Amino acid sequence: MSTTAHKISLIIQIQLGGIEHPTDKDFAVVRRQFLTDKGIIFDRIQRLIRCVIDCKAYDCDAISTRHALDLATSLAAEYWENSNLQLRQIPQVGPAAIRKLVSNDINSIEELMAKDTSTIERIMSKNPPHGRKMKDMLMSFPRLDLTSEIMGRAPSNPGQNPKVSVKVALSYLNDNIPVWKGKKPSLMFMAETTGGKLVHFWRGNIFKLEKGCELKFNVELSSPNEEIKCWVACEEIVGTVRSLVLKHNLPPSAFPAPAASPQANDKSLTGDENARRDDADEFGGDDFDDDDMLAVVRSIEPAGHEYDSDEFEEIDVEDSKPQNPKKVQKQEVFVPSVQMTNGKWTCSHPCADGKVLKNGKQCRHRCCHEGLDKPRKIKKTTDNTSGSGAGSRNNDANSRVKAASSGVAQKSKVCGFSLNLYSEPNQNADNERYSQVQGKSKRRDVLEFGRG
């Protein structure tokens, strides 16, 4: 008992559970304080539970209202409803007498009332006239009776759920007005549907049952299988509950056709998506499904790294019409290897020497961090330039090769690429193009060596 709420909860459970109080001397010191606290708690909690009953009855919540009524009755009687502890309500019946009655299959006051005086005396180990006195005392225990019937259909608007008219008669089976422990008990009645809707609630005194009490109300039904349940009990005495079930027997044609659900009309959902929706977490989590996560993982292509390849792609230098600058590939310039401090040689990757990639992360190339065992070799590639014309490039190149025997061919090596310059009528234009390519290559060499 670390908090006040724990103390209150334990005191309520001790009382309603019928736990015997210790008989030692140590408990006698705190017994008075325990009984004082119990009286204060049960007095205030009664007002609280009545507020709950009124609020739930206003909301037409039949399930919450019924459970709140059972709890209120148990708190007023100080014992749980629907248990053999209701025998503790009888005066002069303690824990020892309860154990004797329960061992003889007597678990309620009604079962005890059905026994004769001699049987009661034998079970209780008492002498006459103990049995007769107990029988006379139990005659004043309220025995309620409940009858109801459906009078017929009540008027309702077309296209709405049908309504039925119900009549309930409340009474008691005692010879006289029952008075239990000097009090005339109060009654409560409620009617509900199996769908959990409260359709009628009534409170009154048992005096109103002397000449018979009839209650009439209408019930709106929502399905052909729906039933009506009626309950009546005393507010402060446990073991007095009476209930019954009514069936309306209306044909299914009396109910309007159910509206199609949005999920049934959604034709865009496939069978797999519906199955995943049905298997979703019932508590409404916002996590991704396993199938969605797997689809994302599969869509990611692993980045390919060639750790042992330092080759450049071959680029053709053509004399044709200028292409779109966006589609022209960048010409790679050979950078000679430099010996590192560990004795190995640098590679040609732009991320070598601790440089980061375009995404700002360090590369995973082994050659960039540890180097190569041998310096890279210069790859020599020859690409013949092609002239502009209406024919294909291959045919134009062959014609130029044939014409080279009569012209003067000049060859020059620029940045590892072979440029064939023929002394033809277009020799001046070819020389201008050659000078432009050579100038760009020299500037690119300077920039690349400057970066190194």
Side-chain angles (χ1 to χ4, degrees), residues 255-395:
F255 296 85
S261 61
Q263 185 176 0
N265 296 332
D266 190 3
K267 299 181 180 180
S268 61
L269 294 177
T270 61
D272 297 339
E273 292 176 351
N274 288 328
R276 290 197 299 270
R277 177 177 293 182
D278 295 338
D279 296 337
D281 188 4
E282 62 179 349
F283 296 103
D286 294 334
D287 297 336
F288 292 101
D289 294 336
D290 295 340
D291 296 339
D292 297 337
M293 295 296 294
L294 289 174
V296 173
V297 173
R298 290 169 181 170
S299 63
I300 299 175
E301 297 181 358
H305 300 287
E306 299 179 0
Y307 299 108
D308 300 332
S309 176
D310 293 331
E311 298 179 357
F312 291 97
E313 296 182 357
E314 296 181 356
I315 303 175
D316 296 335
V317 179
E318 301 178 354
D319 294 336
S320 59
K321 296 181 180 180
Q323 299 178 355
N324 190 355
K326 296 182 180 179
K327 298 183 180 180
V328 176
Q329 297 180 354
K330 296 182 179 180
Q331 297 182 358
E332 298 291 341
V333 180
F334 176 79
V335 181
S337 298
V338 181
Q339 192 172 12
M340 302 172 65
T341 56
N342 57 359
K344 294 188 176 183
W345 301 84
T346 58
C347 63
S348 63
H349 293 161
C351 50
D353 298 334
K355 297 179 181 179
V356 296
L357 300 174
K358 294 181 179 180
N359 56 6
K361 297 182 179 180
Q362 291 288 341
C363 69
R364 299 182 180 178
H365 300 161
R366 185 175 179 181
C367 57
C368 293
H369 299 280
E370 298 180 3
L372 302 176
D373 296 332
K374 296 180 180 180
R376 294 182 296 104
K377 296 181 180 180
I378 300 176
K379 298 260 182 178
K380 297 182 180 181
T381 58
T382 58
D383 292 336
N384 296 331
T385 59
S386 58
S388 58
S392 63
R393 295 175 180 173
N394 294 332
N395 297 333

Side-chain angles (χ1 to χ4, degrees), residues 5-19 34 42 75 78 80 85:
H6 293 163
K7 179 179 178 180
I8 294 173
S9 177
L10 288 175
I11 291 176
I12 293 174
Q13 294 181 49
I14 288 171
Q15 181 60 43
L16 297 184
I19 299 176
F34 178 82
F42 274 72
L75 292 172
E78 297 186 355
W80 284 118
L85 293 174

Side-chain angles (χ1 to χ4, degrees), residues 10-217:
L10 288 175
I11 291 176
I12 293 174
Q13 294 181 49
I14 288 171
Q15 181 60 43
L16 297 184
I19 299 176
E20 299 183 29
H21 298 168
T23 58
D24 53 354
K25 296 181 180 180
D26 296 337
F27 184 77
V29 179
V30 297
R31 181 183 180 86
R32 180 176 299 178
Q33 184 64 35
F34 178 82
L35 296 177
T36 302
D37 294 342
K38 188 198 75 172
I40 296 174
I41 292 171
F42 274 72
D43 179 63
R44 296 181 179 179
I45 201 172
Q46 278 288 331
R47 297 195 295 268
L48 178 61
I49 196 64
R50 285 183 178 273
C51 293
V52 175
I53 294 172
D54 294 339
C55 294
K56 293 302 179 181
Y58 181 80
D59 295 337
C60 295
D61 187 352
I63 298 176
S64 300
T65 303
R66 176 159 42 86
H67 289 307
L69 288 172
D70 292 343
L71 181 58
T73 304
S74 301
L75 292 172
E78 297 186 355
Y79 298 102
W80 284 118
E81 182 74 79
N82 301 324
S83 68
N84 54 24
L85 293 174
Q86 62 180 267
L87 295 169
R88 293 285 300 270
Q89 297 178 112
I90 304 174
Q92 299 179 0
V93 174
I98 289 292
R99 288 192 290 269
K100 293 179 181 180
L101 294 173
V102 172
S103 61
N104 288 272
D105 297 332
I106 299 176
N107 298 311
S108 64
I109 295 179
E110 290 186 354
E111 294 178 355
L112 181 61
M113 293 173 62
K115 304 296 181 182
D116 54 14
T117 57
S118 60
T119 304
I120 294 175
E121 292 172 353
R122 179 180 56 83
I123 294 174
M124 302 292 291
S125 302
K126 298 290 183 179
N127 296 326
H130 179 78
R132 172 56 57 187
K133 290 181 179 179
M134 182 168 289
K135 290 283 289 185
D136 294 341
M137 184 188 307
L138 295 178
M139 291 299 292
S140 60
F141 185 80
R143 292 178 296 164
L144 304 178
D145 190 22
L146 173 67
T147 59
S148 62
E149 61 177 340
I150 296 178
M151 303 300 295
R153 290 191 61 175
S156 59
N157 297 328
Q160 295 183 354
N161 293 328
K163 296 181 180 180
V164 293
S165 179
V166 180
K167 183 179 72 172
V168 178
L170 304 179
S171 61
Y172 52 83
L173 303 177
N174 303 74
D175 297 335
N176 299 317
I177 298 176
V179 178
W180 182 250
K181 293 183 180 181
K183 295 182 180 180
K184 297 175 182 178
S186 300
L187 304 179
M188 57 184 178
F189 169 82
M190 64 170 291
E192 62 174 318
T193 62
T194 52
K197 181 180 179 181
L198 181 66
V199 295
H200 193 74
F201 184 75
W202 174 86
R203 276 196 181 106
N205 195 277
I206 201 170
F207 275 114
K208 296 184 178 181
L209 307 184
E210 185 176 3
K211 297 181 180 180
C213 179
E214 292 185 356
L215 303 175
K216 296 181 180 180
F217 51 90

